[in-house]
Amino acid sequence: MRRGSLFAIMVTLTVCLLSVGFLGIATGAAPLLPTNPTNDGGWADGVIPSRTTTTTATGPTQDGHAYSGDCDRTCNDCGKVREVWVTHTYASLCGATCTVCGEVRAIAHTYDGAWDATCNFCGQTRDVTFTGWVPSGAKWYYYQNGKLLKNTWQLDSVGWCYLGSDGAMMTNAWIKDSVGWCYVGANGYCVTDCWKQDSIGWCYLDANGRMATNQWIKDSVGWCYVGADGYCVTNCWKQDSIGWCYLDANGRMATNRWIKDSVGWCYVGADGYCITNNWVKDSVGWVYLDANGRMLTNSWVQDSVGWCYVGADGYAVTECWKKDSVGWCYLDENGSMTKNDWVKDDGKWYYLDAGGYMLADTTKTIGGKTYTFNASGVWVG
């Protein structure tokens, strides 16, 4: 070999070595890597960049060697593996395999929180154990072992609440399940042991939060009755195993008062039940309530003392004469028919026999003496 040729070769080799050293590929030189690299192993420090189909290299991709593409690491001519950052292409942010070279990377999925089991980007699910409430805007949701609960009741330390079709805690709403109706208030919890009014009327929610039906309810005011539809019965009579009672406009059992309905007058006592087969006295006088609890009018009434008569107004007639199909009788100050006794009226004397009827146009021995009465019943001698 000629000396000139050898010199030219040495110069060429020197230039190559200097070029290689300058590009940082020589032995001992630090590789050119991006700051905070992930090396295709997921997004570092939990920082998720915007969705993209590629990861962009931050270092040079050409170093004097020949590669098949941006994500090829091995020189086609000499087999040299480059140490600069390369660009891979993925189908999505969560893609694990480069669509160009097939290289697989470790990936980081994105979830809404510890309770979320499904990646927001690729839909891949994971096993989670989170159980508890999660707020979202103005609504609350409940997760059980990472699963969002829907269309079900949930019990926590406060009480029962209902999770709707979207999983959100329902508020200010009626809930009907297989057992019956319940109501959840403004705080989302089931209302218990209280009255609830809606557009239909008043209903009562028991200790379990269930709408009571067909039963008596006693509160601090008194007794009420809720019917088959769960609403408080008003302005009507109600019969139970004890008797008849009346529920007023507020649904309260009336006590110690007169009730007038389409048939007539009745009276309910201190226990709220209609009085039957007995006398009742009010500020006007005495009235008699029959077997149905109705005030009698224009009728004779026989009790343990004797006979009485109630007039058109239903009150017992007192201190006056009364004529029936048999004759005349006299009703004393108590309203009782006078028997075997004298009655003085307008200065004249009359006598009532054992049947309670006035003697007239006859002579009668009374107490060992004989008395004569004219046709009007007046004692004349």
Side-chain angles (χ1 to χ4, degrees):
M1 180 181 295
R2 284 183 290 182
R3 182 173 297 176
S5 297
L6 179 61
F7 178 78
I9 291 172
M10 292 180 65
V11 170
T12 301
L13 288 173
T14 301
V15 170
C16 287
L17 289 173
L18 289 173
S19 298
V20 171
F22 177 77
L23 292 173
I25 301 177
T27 303
L32 298 177
L33 298 177
T35 58
N36 198 17
T38 61
N39 197 28
D40 289 336
W43 304 106
D45 300 332
V47 178
I48 307 297
S50 60
R51 292 190 69 178
T52 178
T53 57
T54 63
T55 57
T56 304
T58 57
T61 60
Q62 297 299 323
D63 52 8
H65 290 272
Y67 303 100
S68 297
D70 287 343
C71 57
D72 186 15
R73 296 179 184 272
T74 305
C75 177
N76 295 333
D77 295 333
C78 66
K80 173 70 176 181
V81 177
R82 62 176 173 175
E83 298 177 348
V84 295
W85 192 248
V86 297
T87 302
H88 290 289
T89 303
Y90 303 99
S92 69
L93 188 62
C94 298
T97 304
C98 177
T99 58
V100 176
C101 69
E103 183 171 319
V104 179
R105 65 170 179 173
I107 59 174
H109 294 286
T110 304
Y111 304 95
D112 289 333
W115 59 88
D116 191 9
T118 304
C119 176
N120 293 333
F121 294 134
C122 69
Q124 180 171 319
T125 59
R126 62 174 178 172
D127 292 331
V128 294
T129 58
F130 177 82
T131 295
W133 288 105
V134 174
S136 179
K139 296 183 177 181
W140 285 88
Y141 299 83
Y142 193 85
Y143 286 80
Q144 188 173 70
N145 293 326
K147 180 181 178 181
L148 177 64
L149 299 186
K150 299 179 181 180
N151 297 315
T152 186
W153 289 99
Q154 177 61 40
L155 178 66
D156 63 16
S157 59
V158 178
W160 286 96
C161 55
Y162 193 80
L163 306 167
S165 58
D166 62 350
M169 175 195 280
M170 297 186 68
T171 59
N172 296 318
W174 284 102
I175 307 296
K176 186 175 184 181
D177 57 20
S178 60
V179 179
W181 287 95
C182 300
Y183 188 83
V184 289
N187 65 354
Y189 288 95
C190 192
V191 176
T192 61
D193 291 316
C194 74
W195 290 99
K196 170 63 184 171
Q197 185 181 32
D198 61 17
S199 60
I200 299 176
W202 287 93
C203 55
Y204 191 81
L205 301 162
D206 64 20
N208 296 315
R210 299 293 176 181
M211 176 193 280
T213 58
N214 295 318
Q215 62 175 283
W216 287 101
I217 305 294
K218 187 176 184 181
D219 58 20
S220 59
V221 178
W223 286 96
C224 300
Y225 189 84
V226 288
D229 61 357
Y231 288 94
C232 192
V233 176
T234 61
N235 295 318
C236 72
W237 291 98
K238 170 63 184 172
Q239 186 181 31
D240 62 17
S241 59
I242 299 175
W244 287 93
C245 56
Y246 190 81
L247 300 161
D248 64 19
N250 296 316
R252 300 293 175 181
M253 177 192 279
T255 58
N256 295 319
R257 56 178 280 196
W258 287 103
I259 305 295
K260 186 177 184 180
D261 58 20
S262 59
V263 178
W265 287 95
C266 299
Y267 190 85
V268 288
D271 60 358
Y273 288 94
C274 190
I275 294 176
T276 60
N277 296 317
N278 208 344
W279 291 96
V280 170
K281 186 178 182 181
D282 62 16
S283 60
V284 178
W286 287 93
V287 296
Y288 191 81
L289 302 162
D290 65 16
N292 295 315
R294 299 294 174 179
M295 175 195 281
L296 286 179
T297 58
N298 298 317
S299 302
W300 285 101
V301 177
Q302 186 179 28
D303 58 20
S304 59
V305 177
W307 286 94
C308 300
Y309 188 83
V310 289
D313 61 358
Y315 287 93
V317 176
T318 61
E319 297 183 303
C320 72
W321 293 96
K322 174 64 183 172
K323 186 178 183 180
D324 62 15
S325 60
V326 177
W328 286 94
C329 58
Y330 187 82
L331 300 163
D332 64 18
E333 67 274 11
N334 296 315
S336 296
M337 178 188 286
T338 301
K339 297 180 179 181
N340 297 318
D341 204 358
W342 290 93
V343 172
K344 186 177 183 180
D345 183 20
D346 195 23
K348 299 174 183 179
W349 287 94
Y350 301 83
Y351 190 81
L352 290 304
D353 63 17
Y357 288 95
M358 181 187 72
L359 296 180
D361 197 20
T362 185
T363 298
K364 183 76 172 178
T365 301
I366 303 170
K369 295 182 179 181
T370 301
Y371 298 89
T372 300
F373 301 90
N374 66 16
S376 297
V378 178
W379 169 44
V380 293

